[in-house]
Amino acid sequence: RVSGEWWEPEDLAARLRKNEVVLKAAGGGVTFSGGEVLHQPDFLCEVLDALKGVHCAIETSGFAEADVFRRVIEKCNLVMMDLKQMDDERHRHYVGVSNKRILENFEILKVSGIPMVARVPLIPGVNDNEAHISAVIHALENAPALQRLEILPYNRMAGAKYAMTGLTYDPGFDTEAPLNESVSAMLDQSGVPYIIL
């Protein structure tokens, strides 16, 4: 079923600003996530402009044209970006698109100086391997504004969304598999600040 409301940018910004005092006192702010926030860049930029002075962050896959990506991140105080699969062929297989645009945007983010958090949604048998983690660690080199790498274990609640749409949930891997120990060891040795959520 469709749930949600239509908002004009200025109305949403006004509603969010009602909590500005509390957000600032708590050291918090506003985070825009999705879906994919970069699919509505004009709306997002208008809201971000209207929220100047409020800490604003986005969670993104980074899948957008470079000019769109730049325009949005320049208005953010923090960018949290996924690195789902570093190998292009595997990215095409599992995600359905090339990761070329994503990795190019990640490079833009790295040199922007905007505080960033890299995120890896870790999926058993898909990207919980040494090749992927090694490529992620390499991608994080020369990222002076990197705050941390977040490892996101597989979200088992995904199956509930399938049922709501009448689809059968069959991920094709063991959703209960523990974190690959070699991945933890690589991260420990990398020097990259990381957290497993």
Side-chain angles (χ1 to χ4, degrees):
R1 68 184 169 84
V2 175
S3 62
E5 301 173 26
W6 289 97
W7 286 82
E8 292 300 321
E10 62 275 10
D11 295 332
L12 179 57
R15 181 171 179 179
L16 294 170
R17 277 207 180 271
K18 287 181 181 178
N19 297 312
E20 184 174 358
V21 172
V22 174
L23 292 173
K24 286 184 175 178
V30 178
T31 300
F32 296 90
S33 60
E36 174 51 60
V37 296
L38 298 179
H39 286 178
Q40 298 182 49
D42 296 334
F43 179 91
L44 178 61
C45 284
E46 285 186 51
V47 177
L48 290 169
D49 284 341
L51 289 175
K52 277 203 187 326
V54 176
H55 187 280
C56 290
I58 62 169
E59 295 179 336
T60 181
S61 70
F63 187 73
E65 295 294 334
D67 61 328
V68 168
F69 186 77
R70 276 192 191 92
R71 185 162 52 105
V72 170
I73 68 169
E74 287 170 358
K75 299 176 184 297
C76 296
N77 304 104
L78 175 68
V79 176
M80 293 172 271
M81 186 167 165
D82 288 353
L83 296 173
K84 292 181 175 77
Q85 180 54 254
M86 301 302 285
D87 179 83
D88 188 58
E89 185 177 328
R90 291 177 65 85
H91 197 279
R92 286 175 189 268
H93 175 77
Y94 288 108
V95 181
V97 296
S98 170
N99 66 3
K100 184 175 186 288
R101 187 181 295 174
I102 293 165
L103 296 180
E104 287 171 354
N105 284 337
F106 190 70
E107 290 301 315
I108 290 169
L109 177 59
K110 279 172 49 176
V111 300
S112 72
I114 296 164
M116 60 182 277
V117 173
R119 307 176 95 195
V120 176
L122 213 58
I123 303 171
V126 175
N127 67 352
D128 66 337
N129 55 66
E130 292 182 15
H132 175 65
I133 298 303
S134 176
V136 168
I137 291 167
H138 179 70
L140 296 177
E141 292 174 356
N142 303 313
L146 177 69
Q147 294 188 342
R148 68 186 169 278
L149 169 64
E150 292 182 350
I151 302 297
L152 311 173
Y154 179 74
N155 185 346
R156 293 172 183 87
M157 295 185 67
K161 294 180 182 180
Y162 279 72
M164 290 187 313
T165 59
L167 298 173
T168 302
Y169 179 62
D170 182 14
F173 55 85
D174 179 5
T175 61
E176 302 294 327
L179 181 65
N180 183 331
E181 289 182 15
S182 64
V183 166
S184 296
M186 287 183 73
L187 290 168
D188 288 342
Q189 295 168 9
S190 70
V192 171
Y194 78 96
I195 184 171
I196 299 174
L197 299 176

